[in-house]
Amino acid sequence: MYSFAFSLWDIGLWLAVSSIIMLITSELLAPYYGRAKTVLDVKRLRIIAVGSGLAFIVIAMIRISAIIG
């Protein structure tokens, strides 16, 4: 049948894009923009966004070391 060919680099790019979207969302939902009555927990969203950004950096470092070595 059909199979999707995802590499580690594809997952890293997805993490990077998701991280950027979550960081933008958390900033737009910040209380100083007047949206204090939201269901999302902004602190948790920022922590998840930073964590996925760090995961992307780790994947990028693995990719760079594979290219160099």
Side-chain angles (χ1 to χ4, degrees):
M1 296 313 262
Y2 297 106
S3 65
F4 295 104
F6 286 119
S7 66
L8 187 63
W9 184 243
D10 295 331
I11 294 170
L13 289 176
W14 175 74
L15 282 171
V17 171
S18 298
S19 176
I20 291 170
I21 290 171
M22 285 188 284
L23 283 172
I24 290 171
T25 303
S26 70
E27 285 299 318
L28 290 176
L29 291 176
Y32 46 83
Y33 282 118
R35 291 179 175 82
K37 295 182 180 182
T38 57
V39 180
L40 292 174
D41 187 10
V42 177
K43 286 185 181 182
R44 186 176 293 169
L45 186 64
R46 283 185 188 155
I47 291 171
I48 293 171
V50 170
S52 62
L54 289 175
F56 165 71
I57 290 173
V58 168
I59 290 173
M61 291 172 78
I62 291 170
R63 171 94 174 185
I64 290 170
S65 67
I67 290 171
I68 291 174

